[in-house]
Amino acid sequence: MIPTYEKFQQPILHALADGRTWQVKDLRELIAGPEYFNFSAEERSIMVGSGNLPQYQDRIGWAISYLFHAGLLERPKRGFYKISHRGLEGL
């Protein structure tokens, strides 16, 4: 079962704590991979209701969006994120 977006928020902050700027697609794969959630191929194949996107990617995307709007992430350019000073303080 894929966790709710809230469960992805802390792992995303930890992944970004290295200070690097990450492209969203790479960050999604890191979080879904063995270092964090280790989703199986079956879990990765679960799609959102519309069938347009895997559910884990959708929920990670929402988690990133909420973290950004809370000021915990910065977006230096479209599709790229890094942790903000406020995000580092929250760890």
Side-chain angles (χ1 to χ4, degrees), residues 36-49:
Y36 292 95
F37 286 92
N38 199 25
F39 292 135
S40 67
E42 183 179 340
E43 289 170 316
R44 288 172 181 252
S45 70
I46 299 169
M47 303 297 278
V48 294

Side-chain angles (χ1 to χ4, degrees), residues 5-74:
Y5 76 87
E6 295 98 334
K7 302 285 188 204
F8 288 107
Q9 291 177 331
Q10 198 66 29
I12 289 168
L13 289 173
H14 281 284
L16 293 173
D18 64 4
R20 293 177 36 211
T21 298
W22 285 76
Q23 190 168 10
V24 171
K25 67 178 186 165
D26 297 329
L27 182 57
R28 283 192 300 230
E29 292 311 308
L30 174 68
I31 298 299
E35 287 186 52
Y36 292 95
F37 286 92
N38 199 25
F39 292 135
S40 67
E42 183 179 340
E43 289 170 316
R44 288 172 181 252
S45 70
I46 299 169
M47 303 297 278
V48 294
S50 65
N52 293 330
L53 188 69
Q55 192 176 57
Y56 79 95
Q57 289 184 11
D58 179 67
R59 292 190 178 166
I60 291 171
W62 279 109
I64 291 169
S65 178
Y66 282 112
L67 290 168
F68 172 71
H69 288 289
L72 302 175
L73 300 182
E74 297 175 358

